[in-house]
Amino acid sequence: MTKSIKILTGVLIILFFITTGSNCSDEKKTELTKSYLTLLEQERADRNWQMQYNLSASPFLMDTSVKYEPLKFYEANPEFIFKSRLYRIDKPDSVDISGTKGTSRKYLRYGYFNLNYKGNQYKLYLYNITTPEGMKVYNIWFKDGTTGKETFEHGRYLKFEKNLDDDFEYTIDFNRATNPLCAYSDLFNCPVPTQQDSLPFEVKAGEKKFR
């Protein structure tokens, strides 16, 4: 084999591994690991346990007129896991957010996340309030194309913990979306996502409608 042929063969082999390696990497991005699925199942089992047995957290134990039933969830879906920085709003506004009982409360629209879904960019807002004790509480709530159909009519929530690093990249995982307490009992008054908090596509992930 001549030197030029050996070189050409080597280049082709390298190109083969680069392209096949790239494909493998892309496939892994769309898969959920076994450890992720195990953790998600544990979280869902714990939520069911809390709803059934925790006196301080269960709406069914606070309101004996409603009966506990196992919660329903979509299957885990990698399509609804996003990565984004938190983009601060330069001049955040206090927004009146209506509750499920008709009253409203002011929340600070603190910032937003950019969600890239099927080639389009969507904003998901983060809200902030300061409790009477001086603690800052951050809230993410949303509506989407499943709201009122397969999911709770007043939207769903995502748990959020703020990182001190302004450049931190957050994971926005809709597989962990849950219903507010008012989805189970009328005793509770929950903030209702506004039109600006509505995503114009179906988020088939997270918790489904209770009944």
Side-chain angles (χ1 to χ4, degrees):
M1 185 181 291
T2 66
K3 185 177 181 180
S4 59
I5 293 176
K6 287 181 179 179
I7 294 172
L8 178 60
T9 303
V11 170
L12 291 174
I13 291 172
I14 292 171
L15 287 173
F16 171 78
F17 281 111
I18 290 174
T19 55
T20 55
S22 175
N23 290 337
C24 290
S25 177
D26 289 342
E27 288 174 5
K28 286 180 181 178
K29 288 179 183 177
T30 63
E31 294 176 357
L32 296 173
T33 64
K34 185 177 180 180
S35 59
Y36 170 89
L37 293 171
T38 299
L39 179 59
L40 185 66
E41 286 304 312
Q42 288 174 346
E43 290 174 2
R44 291 178 173 184
D46 180 66
R47 182 167 172 79
N48 266 299
W49 187 92
Q50 297 289 338
M51 287 291 189
Q52 193 169 8
Y53 299 112
N54 190 334
L55 286 169
S56 63
S58 170
F60 304 101
L61 297 177
M62 298 178 199
D63 182 359
T64 56
S65 68
V66 290
K67 182 181 177 182
Y68 166 79
E69 294 176 11
L71 308 181
K72 297 183 283 290
F73 300 91
Y74 288 101
E75 289 187 11
N77 191 337
E79 184 177 349
F80 298 107
I81 301 176
F82 301 89
K83 296 280 190 180
S84 174
R85 282 184 55 223
L86 172 59
Y87 296 90
R88 290 282 303 273
I89 296 174
D90 291 336
K91 295 181 179 179
D93 293 327
S94 289
V95 182
D96 285 322
I97 303 294
S98 296
T100 49
K101 288 189 174 183
T103 57
S104 65
R105 186 176 182 182
K106 285 191 178 296
Y107 286 79
L108 191 69
R109 191 173 280 159
Y110 181 85
Y112 62 90
F113 304 96
N114 272 333
L115 308 184
N116 188 342
Y117 182 68
K118 294 188 176 180
N120 294 311
Q121 293 284 340
Y122 302 97
K123 287 183 179 180
L124 180 68
Y125 286 101
L126 177 71
Y127 292 86
N128 167 245
I129 62 168
T130 302
T131 67
E133 297 75 25
M135 293 181 60
K136 289 187 179 297
V137 178
Y138 296 91
N139 302 273
I140 298 176
W141 46 68
F142 69 96
K143 290 181 179 180
D144 66 275
T146 68
T147 302
K149 302 170 187 175
E150 298 176 1
T151 59
F152 182 49
E153 61 182 326
H154 293 303
R156 293 178 288 167
Y157 294 6
L158 278 171
K159 186 178 179 181
F160 178 80
E161 292 184 11
K162 190 175 180 300
N163 194 285
L164 295 176
D165 182 359
D166 289 338
D167 294 322
F168 182 77
E169 187 176 57
Y170 293 89
T171 298
I172 311 299
D173 187 354
F174 286 98
N175 292 300
R176 291 184 160 91
T178 57
N179 291 332
L181 293 179
C182 54
Y184 316 105
S185 168
D186 291 336
L187 288 181
F188 300 93
N189 184 29
C190 305
V192 178
T194 69
Q195 185 62 39
Q196 286 73 33
D197 306 307
S198 299
L199 298 170
F201 55 88
E202 292 185 331
V203 179
K204 289 181 173 289
E207 191 172 348
K208 293 183 176 181
K209 184 186 292 186
F210 178 56
R211 287 176 181 158

